[in-house]
Amino acid sequence: MTRKVCLAQNPEADELLADDMFALLLGMLLDQQIPLEKAFSGPKVLADRLGALSPQVIADADPEGFAAVMAAPPAVHRFPGSMAKRVQALAQAVVEEYGGDVSRMWADGDGAVVLKRLKALPGFGEQKARIFLALLGKQFGVQPDGWREAAGAYGEDGSRRSVADVVDQKSLLEVRAFKKAAKAAVKNG
């Protein structure tokens, strides 16, 4: 694959994200209450621990055993127990709704349809679904009609507001600065 991804800021983890759309989806799910580099490194950690990264394997895993995999040092997430449940629920949805192939979510339909499918996933609300749609459009060439509009402000060309805009270390720092300023505006507003 020639696509270059810099979300985990780790070459091996980023290579997995570039090549495996399920890994990318998992990274997006994990991207809450931890640094985005750790979130997007999580799929590589899981792949290493499980021997492969498969929606079916994760969906079928014993919940307690999978939680132990998530919690093994270093933990995949700050909240390994609750995130293990979310990761398994997401994997189960991918298997049940899309036959284990996440790309079927955006294989047809316009931006609004794809957004609706993403929002229906366990652990994906409005904002996370819009950010992921923007990530698909900006960095993965998944651009159904109306994707920018469906992604909202996250789809704006040249923005630096989310993971969808992280293409290197510099843009990561710009996204962090934007988020910090946005939080300060809310706090002081």
Side-chain angles (χ1 to χ4, degrees):
M1 182 110 231
T2 57
R3 176 182 296 118
K4 185 173 189 305
V5 173
C6 295
L7 302 174
Q9 304 284 306
N10 169 300
E12 290 179 1
D14 282 327
E15 184 177 335
L16 178 64
L17 298 171
D19 292 342
D20 184 331
M21 297 304 272
F22 180 62
L24 188 70
L25 190 70
L26 282 183
M28 189 72 219
L29 175 70
L30 294 169
D31 187 19
Q32 56 189 34
Q33 299 181 323
I34 60 175
L36 75 88
E37 303 96 315
K38 180 158 177 67
F40 283 93
S41 294
K44 174 69 172 136
V45 173
L46 283 175
D48 291 346
R49 291 178 183 176
L50 297 172
L53 194 65
S54 157
Q56 190 72 60
V57 168
I58 293 173
D60 292 345
D62 169 69
E64 287 181 19
F66 186 70
V69 168
M70 291 280 292
V76 174
H77 194 277
R78 179 178 169 193
F79 302 108
S82 61
M83 288 309 291
K85 291 175 185 170
R86 288 184 182 179
V87 168
Q88 277 199 291
L90 178 63
Q92 289 162 350
V94 168
V95 168
E96 292 168 11
E97 300 294 322
Y98 302 101
D101 181 0
V102 295
S103 68
R104 288 179 51 196
M105 277 182 247
W106 49 84
D108 63 2
D110 63 12
V113 168
V114 175
L115 179 65
K116 182 178 177 182
R117 291 173 184 155
L118 291 169
K119 287 183 350 188
L121 294 172
F124 277 69
E126 181 81 27
Q127 183 175 358
K128 190 173 288 279
R130 287 181 187 274
I131 292 169
F132 192 73
L133 180 57
L135 176 60
L136 290 172
K138 289 180 173 184
Q139 296 193 41
F140 289 83
V142 176
Q143 300 178 340
D145 288 342
W147 73 272
R148 285 192 190 273
E149 294 78 10
Y154 301 107
E156 292 173 2
D157 194 25
S159 67
R160 290 289 186 259
R161 67 176 62 238
S162 76
V163 66
D165 304 311
V166 175
V167 294
D168 55 22
Q169 180 68 29
K170 181 178 183 275
S171 57
L172 171 63
L173 296 175
E174 291 170 349
V175 166
R176 286 217 168 101
F178 174 86
K179 288 182 176 186
K180 184 177 180 181
K183 283 183 182 178
V186 168
K187 184 178 178 182
N188 300 326

